[in-house]
Amino acid sequence: MIFTRDHKQLLPYVTGDITDDWTDIVAAYADAGADAVEVGLPFSDPTLDGPTIQEASFVALSRGATADAIISDVAGAPVPLVASTYYQLVAYAGPERFCARLSRSGFRGLIVPDLPLEESAHLEAVAADAGVDLVLLAAPVTPAARLAEIARRSRGFIYAVSLMGTTGERDTLAPGAAALARALSTRTDLPVLLGFGIATPEQAVDAARGADGIVVGAALMRRVLDGVQPAAVGAFVASLRRALDSGVAADGEVPRDRR
Amino acid sequence: MRFGDHGGRYVPEPLIPACEAVAEAFADAWADPGFRAELDTLLRQHAGRPTTLTPAANLSADLGLRVTLKREDLAHTGSHKINNVLGQALLARRMGKPRIIAETGAGQHGVATATAAALLGLDATVFMGQKDVERQSLNVFRMRLLGAEVVPVHAGSRTLKDATSEAMRHWVAHTEDTYYCVGSVIGPHPYPTMVREFQSVIGIEARGQGGIPDYVVACVGGGSNAAGTFSAFLDTDATLIGVEADGGAALTKGAPGVLHGFRGYILQDAHGQVVEAHSISAGLDYPGTGPEHGHWRDSGRARYVSVTDDEVLAATTHLARTEGILPALESAHAIAWVMRAARTGELPRGASVLITLSGRGDKDVPTLMGAHQ
Ligand SMILES: Cc1ncc(COP(=O)(O)O)c(C=O)c1O
């Protein structure tokens, strides 16, 4: 198991190779109390990502980022790792080779947002053989029977997409998020993590009321793109950690100008 | 859902119900004589179908072939794109969606979408790469005149590939009231099948008008005019040739991959990233090709070739001067290959060749002016 259910889980995201010192960001997340870290393998055409993660992907690719290098650069990280990428990069490497590489570098999970149930059977089997959990997504519009099927076939956890839209910060938690998390929780013993749009400690607390944990991505990558250093990005993750643990969004984030 | 190894539905979970709804609605509509009759009427009364089949006497004499041109350039709005759009706009209305969105490269699909939306009382938003907004400014203005909103896309290569990604992103957030009108035989199931069916009118008419030729030739961007033409000749001995742009030749230079919801031949780099296509014709500047073309390529039922920008420019002028027809730069790819193949002898003397002339060249006049300076 990547996650437990004894406390609210925190899965912060980083686009692999977004900066020279990107592995320091992973380390900072670990220091800040992340339960695991989601490492994005940037793809040229991220159709489920909003402007921030599109830009993060573009920046990383412009720096010459490759999936292979990212996967090996982060081997031995002091925190469980979950890779996320679009299916093209998995298909290109070949699912067997891709999962073997992940497994060698200590990755425990894999998220492929554009691989729905209809297409995922092969990768589910290959990932399982490699000891990598293939995490499936569920959405607010997913019908009940399909939620049950996702709950049955997902491994590691279930990624509940909180809203109908792309990744990116939102002002408030989407209204359907809690209902989706609840609908999933009644169908599975796997942890249910809510993601998409969660950008503040307040929203983290809100989201975690109905779910086992949260995924935070664009709010972090926006800071990195703005030039915020790994330690300060880590401090923001620590504020999310405290909010999740206490159930109140007590203290704010480190001001953006303190770099 | 599949064409051999190709096709499928590689979309995120939030889009699955929307894709399923389109698939069900299309299956239902296509089996409904009332829907077919309404579409036929629109194609006749609004789009000007059937388009004529022109024996290209001068070009034929020149090349030593018997060339006929299926004149999609004469369809309303200037290209074959209207065939597909009228079908999908009717479907959108049948599904109760008040709004349609589309991606466009050359702007022809965008103009067709804006046109159908105006006709059927739907709102339309068209996504277009910033680079294409600049080089196809005439079509941008046409779309706005027709009442559509045009959204320039600044991401990535700022061409058709990025416009398509942006349309998909927009759709995820608006599935409730919005129908995504895909412009070619690409995208998740059922789009490749549905768009081929809506474009099959090209091939069905051409076969009725001219019989079965030795060769059937069409340009391939995403592959809709080619698929619509080929589909009526699959059961014949005709040799089917798809002509790609040299800088966007996914079927000849690409490899199987997954992009925009389907598995098909895609241009990609040594790390699996999708590569930008480069062509003088915006409509062929797409790094992927429809999954059914991938299947026809693998099975050998169709052959795919590519021509250079220079050959295309020469073919454009040649057709204009021999036949008095200014083709779209996209369509000129098909002409260019036939000219080359006549010269090299790959097309035997006297062979009958049906070329789908997918669109007219008015939109390309600024590009041609630039190229001829
Ligand atoms: C005139 C014309 N022909 C061909 C194409 C390419 O599309 P397809 O390959 O789907 O026919 C376009 C696309 O914009 C076009 O405008």
Side-chain angles (χ1 to χ4, degrees):
Chain A
M1 275 303 217
I2 306 168
F3 294 112
T4 61
R5 295 182 90 168
D6 57 5
H7 64 279
K8 296 296 180 184
Q9 304 291 300
L10 176 57
L11 179 62
Y13 164 94
V14 62
T15 300
D17 215 358
I18 186 169
T19 57
D20 271 332
D21 58 0
W22 78 275
T23 54
D24 293 347
I25 300 174
V26 176
Y29 289 174
D31 286 346
D35 296 289
V37 173
E38 179 182 349
V39 176
L41 309 176
F43 177 51
S44 52
D45 298 84
T47 48
L48 197 59
D49 284 304
T52 305
I53 293 182
Q54 282 178 52
E55 190 187 341
S57 304
F58 182 77
V59 166
L61 290 173
S62 305
R63 288 170 34 79
T66 67
D68 283 357
I70 290 168
I71 292 169
S72 50
D73 281 355
V74 81
V79 61
L81 298 173
V82 177
S84 69
T85 195
Y86 290 83
Y87 190 59
Q88 162 62 11
L89 294 190
V90 181
Y92 181 79
E96 288 80 4
R97 272 176 51 205
F98 188 84
C99 290
R101 259 181 223 151
L102 286 181
S103 164
R104 258 202 311 281
S105 280
F107 278 81
R108 308 266 288 273
L110 170 62
I111 302 167
V112 186
D114 60 343
L115 199 70
L117 288 176
E118 287 77 0
E119 311 291 351
S120 60
H122 179 61
L123 187 60
E124 285 171 41
V126 170
D129 283 348
V132 174
D133 287 333
L134 184 66
V135 178
L136 302 184
L137 278 66
V141 291
T142 308
R146 216 177 145 92
L147 283 183
E149 181 74 1
I150 290 166
R152 193 176 68 74
R153 285 164 59 177
S154 191
R155 294 291 176 269
F157 65 101
I158 300 175
Y159 193 132
V161 178
S162 73
L163 51 80
M164 290 299 288
T166 52
T167 58
E169 298 171 83
R170 305 290 200 283
D171 291 336
T172 55
L173 185 68
L180 174 62
R182 244 182 287 114
L184 283 165
S185 297
T186 62
R187 290 177 169 86
T188 182
D189 290 331
L190 289 174
V192 175
L193 270 65
L194 268 173
F196 281 49
I198 301 171
T200 66
E202 291 76 11
Q203 292 168 1
V205 171
D206 237 16
R209 258 194 280 278
D212 298 301
I214 59 161
V215 187
V216 179
L220 300 169
M221 290 307 95
R222 195 237 316 146
R223 288 173 169 78
V224 174
L225 290 169
D226 283 350
V228 177
Q229 295 302 303
V233 181
F236 176 66
V237 172
S239 75
L240 295 171
R241 172 83 276 162
R242 282 191 300 276
L244 287 176
D245 291 347
S246 65
V248 285
D251 51 17
E253 58 169 301
V254 177
R256 278 170 66 185
D257 55 359
R258 201 192 304 159
R259 286 172 190 168
Chain B
M1 261 175 58
R2 297 234 161 219
F3 309 94
D5 286 344
H6 303 285
R9 186 182 274 163
Y10 296 87
V11 297
E13 196 58 37
L15 278 181
I16 290 288
C19 289
E20 283 178 350
V22 173
E24 275 167 36
F26 172 67
D28 187 66
W30 209 227
D32 173 2
F35 179 89
R36 303 283 286 251
E38 193 176 4
L39 178 56
D40 277 353
T41 302
L42 282 186
L43 288 172
R44 261 185 304 111
Q45 297 182 346
H46 189 80
R49 302 208 72 90
T51 58
T52 191
L53 185 73
T54 301
N58 300 332
L59 184 69
S60 295
D62 193 40
L63 300 178
L65 301 168
R66 286 175 296 141
V67 177
T68 51
L69 303 174
K70 180 58 176 162
R71 299 290 303 280
E72 295 304 297
D73 60 317
L74 296 179
H76 181 45
T77 70
S79 83
H80 68 294
K81 297 286 181 184
I82 193 75
N83 306 330
N84 167 45
V85 165
L86 285 174
Q88 289 199 56
L90 274 183
L91 190 68
R93 202 182 61 181
R94 187 181 168 101
M95 293 173 74
K97 306 284 183 190
R99 179 166 180 265
I100 58 179
I101 57 169
E103 80 295 341
T104 197
Q108 289 303 98
H109 176 58
V111 167
T113 300
T115 298
L119 179 68
L120 298 179
L122 305 168
D123 287 335
T125 298
V126 178
F127 296 89
M128 190 170 188
Q130 177 58 33
K131 192 169 153 191
D132 294 333
V133 166
E134 284 158 23
R135 60 180 170 168
Q136 302 284 342
S137 55
L138 195 67
N139 273 342
V140 175
F141 190 66
R142 279 170 86 194
M143 286 184 264
R144 290 181 173 149
L145 273 179
L146 288 158
E149 179 193 12
V150 180
V151 180
V153 176
H154 297 274
S157 61
R158 298 176 296 124
T159 62
L160 183 52
K161 150 177 111 80
D162 310 283
T164 308
S165 295
E166 201 57 30
M168 290 183 78
R169 292 183 189 112
H170 184 91
W171 197 31
V172 180
H174 298 87
T175 51
E176 217 156 280
D177 69 344
T178 299
Y179 178 93
Y180 181 14
C181 181
V182 176
S184 190
V185 285
I186 61 159
H189 176 74
Y191 284 99
T193 302
M194 175 168 65
V195 177
R196 180 203 65 213
E197 287 297 291
F198 286 143
Q199 291 294 3
S200 66
V201 65
I202 303 173
I204 292 167
E205 280 180 11
R207 187 168 168 176
Q209 292 162 319
I212 300 165
D214 299 324
Y215 293 84
V216 177
V217 186
C219 70
V220 175
S224 69
N225 85 86
T229 307
F230 292 176
S231 63
F233 296 96
L234 290 173
D235 63 347
T236 72
D237 290 334
T239 301
L240 310 178
I241 310 270
V243 187
E244 296 186 284
D246 226 21
L251 287 157
T252 42
K253 297 175 187 167
V258 175
L259 178 68
H260 295 149
F262 69 98
R263 183 179 192 276
Y265 280 89
I266 287 161
L267 291 177
Q268 38 198 303
D269 71 12
H271 302 286
Q273 304 294 342
V274 179
V275 169
E276 296 169 24
H278 291 288
S279 164
I280 191 166
S281 67
L284 304 190
D285 244 358
Y286 184 70
T289 43
E292 196 163 21
H293 286 292
H295 179 52
W296 289 333
R297 174 199 185 276
D298 291 352
S299 71
R301 182 60 193 92
R303 251 189 71 209
Y304 297 88
V305 295
S306 68
V307 295
T308 65
D309 284 355
D310 286 344
E311 288 178 293
V312 168
L313 286 169
T316 304
T317 314
H318 192 69
L319 189 71
R321 293 186 183 170
T322 53
E323 295 293 337
I325 298 169
L326 180 65
L329 286 170
E330 291 81 9
S331 323
H333 285 68
I335 309 288
W337 182 79
V338 169
M339 284 170 57
R340 183 210 290 169
R343 204 171 51 242
T344 60
E346 191 171 350
L347 281 174
R349 280 193 79 77
S352 57
V353 182
L354 165 68
I355 303 176
T356 295
L357 202 76
S358 57
R360 66 176 186 231
D362 304 45
K363 70 181 173 61
D364 296 314
V365 168
T367 305
L368 290 165
M369 283 171 73
H372 285 277
Q373 262 161 23

